[in-house]
Amino acid sequence: MNILMKFLSKEPVENLVSAIHWQFDKVIFFGYEDYLELRKKDTEHFLTKYCKVRRVEFHKVSRTNLEGILKKIREEAAVERISDNRIFLDLTGGKGQVLAAFGMLERELSLPMHLYWISEDRLIEYCSDETRRMSALVPPQTVEIDLDRYIEMRGGIINYRMHKEIKEIDDEETDRVVRAIWRLFEKYEEGWSMISGLFQKTLRTESLDVFLSEEEVQGLLKRSRSLPKERFLEFLRDGEEAELFYDLETPRGGIGFRFRSFTVRNILIDAGSILELHTYEVLRAGTPHCKVGVHLDWDGVIHSRSGRDVINEIDVLALHGLIPTFVSCKIGVADKNALYELSTVAARFGGKYTKMMLVTGKGMSETDLLRATEMEIRVMNRDMEPLNPETED
């Protein structure tokens, strides 16, 4: 049998990456007591469910007693060698005295040792004899990691019950609608919130045929210099030309038209939706693992009773290999609160390898841009151009 021995990290992907790429019969972890409390259940569940690992063991070790750590690992290695099993030492995520003990045992017992460089998606092997390396002896495998499995790896779950209909845009028709609305947004961005406010009034009927009275239009538009009535009518005419609206009429006393679809109406009633959907389309071009409007449940259990779930929504979530990117979209000026909200969700569901991006329609103050750089958050304008200096990976 092929046995993997490694340090139990706080970072789930560090615990699992070798078994994601190679098929081990047993994985033996050595970790600190608090790490075992934090990661034991989720780690064992993932390895046995997805990675074809038949057995997982966890052994508590001291943070400071090198001799004790060395003795424990040596004992477990002896048991496996008696059974004529092959042992491979994994340094990925290792730290402290456990890492030192692995190095000592590598020399003492001549065990092949490796590290998986996650950010570079690269294996580094330290055994000079290529015939004894893990890559030569352990069967390779590819365990697909999509967004659902990545969040599950971290003890959470994506709650699809809360997913909004307009966030399902994986068909050609909806893509076309999003691109058409985005072109309108680029032209009418200044008055976009007012436009959305007017379209919210169409929700009083389930029909796609709507009529806005003169009083409703004037009542909302008189509060905005950025969107006079003629400008709104120009928007509707442009929308009709783009086939987002039909049968536009402007009789005395109001404005009548018909929405192309409920998708069009649902996007237009939520001012921030179009920026989220456009950002999603841009990022989706680079990875098949990308979702918009993702509701993340903290404890991995969706309760039947309302109010028992702790949920965070992330505007766009993308996964490149084992590196997630958490994206927050703000149609107006973004501030420090947006940075802290993004950082909190990314820390819980992404960990130390996560990337963070904030897309803002109206920019950000210099002070907050500096804070974003310090927090390793890329800030982009609506055209996906960086506003702050590039952060280090």
Side-chain angles (χ1 to χ4, degrees), residues 111-125:
L111 298 175
M113 193 162 60
H114 71 273
L115 177 147
Y116 203 93
W117 191 357
I118 293 171
S119 59
E120 297 292 327
D121 194 23
R122 182 157 65 92
L123 173 68
I124 301 173
E125 296 185 276

Side-chain angles (χ1 to χ4, degrees), residues 22-292:
W22 289 275
Q23 188 175 334
F24 290 94
D25 300 287
K26 181 160 71 171
V27 181
I28 302 174
F29 290 98
F30 302 91
Y32 309 138
E33 184 173 7
D34 55 333
Y35 285 25
L36 265 64
E37 290 288 333
L38 182 66
R39 290 294 172 223
K40 181 178 179 179
K41 181 180 178 181
D42 295 335
T43 301
E44 183 172 12
H45 170 78
F46 199 93
L47 287 172
T48 54
K49 181 178 180 180
Y50 298 117
C51 301
K52 304 176 184 176
V53 176
R54 287 186 283 174
R55 186 173 176 183
V56 184
E57 293 181 2
F58 298 87
H59 298 280
K60 182 176 66 174
V61 295
S62 166
R63 291 178 182 269
T64 57
N65 184 356
L66 179 58
E67 286 301 318
I69 296 171
L70 195 58
K71 181 176 181 292
K72 184 61 181 176
I73 300 175
R74 187 186 288 118
E75 288 173 351
E76 294 303 320
V79 171
E80 301 303 332
R81 297 185 87 176
I82 289 173
S83 301
D84 203 27
N85 293 330
R86 288 192 292 251
I87 302 170
F88 302 89
L89 300 179
D90 183 359
L91 301 182
T92 310
K95 62 189 296 186
Q97 302 283 23
V98 175
L99 200 59
F102 273 19
M104 296 168 70
L105 279 177
E106 184 271 335
R107 287 197 173 190
E108 177 185 326
L109 303 178
S110 189
L111 298 175
M113 193 162 60
H114 71 273
L115 177 147
Y116 203 93
W117 191 357
I118 293 171
S119 59
E120 297 292 327
D121 194 23
R122 182 157 65 92
L123 173 68
I124 301 173
E125 296 185 276
Y126 298 101
C127 181
S128 58
D129 183 354
E130 294 185 6
T131 64
R132 296 176 52 249
R133 291 179 176 178
M134 176 188 69
S135 59
L137 296 173
V138 181
Q141 67 177 359
T142 301
V143 178
E144 183 182 359
I145 305 297
D146 56 16
L147 284 169
D148 290 284
R149 287 188 180 181
Y150 192 91
I151 298 302
E152 183 181 352
M153 182 193 301
R154 298 193 60 84
I157 193 172
I158 297 176
N159 188 335
Y160 288 100
R161 294 181 189 174
M162 301 179 69
H163 204 62
K164 298 176 183 176
E165 183 183 353
I166 62 170
K167 303 302 175 68
E168 296 289 351
I169 66 167
D170 293 326
D171 62 85
E172 187 175 334
E173 162 64 12
T174 314
D175 284 345
R176 194 202 74 80
V177 165
V178 170
R179 289 192 291 270
I181 296 177
W182 178 254
R183 288 191 291 271
L184 287 178
F185 173 73
E186 290 181 304
K187 183 175 180 180
Y188 297 95
E189 180 180 4
E190 194 62 32
W192 195 257
S193 294
M194 286 295 174
I195 291 171
S196 289
L198 278 168
F199 284 126
Q200 287 171 16
K201 295 184 178 297
T202 67
L203 292 175
R204 60 179 169 234
T205 173
E206 294 184 2
S207 172
L208 292 175
D209 294 298
V210 299
F211 183 82
L212 297 172
S213 69
E214 183 71 19
E215 290 77 13
E216 289 174 324
V217 175
Q218 292 293 354
L220 189 62
L221 297 186
K222 71 180 180 181
R223 301 199 299 265
S224 171
R225 296 180 180 179
S226 62
L227 190 71
K229 181 181 177 181
E230 283 305 314
R231 182 69 169 165
F232 179 59
L233 291 174
E234 182 185 352
F235 167 87
L236 291 175
R237 287 190 286 269
D238 284 345
E240 185 178 40
E241 186 176 338
E243 298 183 343
L244 297 173
F245 313 119
Y246 300 121
D247 305 325
L248 176 62
E249 297 179 343
T250 55
R252 297 187 66 178
I255 299 171
F257 60 91
R258 186 174 190 273
F259 284 108
R260 176 191 179 95
S261 65
F262 287 105
T263 298
V264 172
R265 184 171 75 173
N266 289 338
I267 294 174
L268 289 173
I269 63 175
D270 183 352
S273 282
I274 189 57
L275 182 60
E276 296 174 19
L277 293 168
H278 174 72
T279 301
Y280 164 74
E281 288 204 323
V282 171
L283 295 182
R284 188 183 62 178
T287 174
H289 303 304
C290 190
K291 294 183 183 293
V292 60

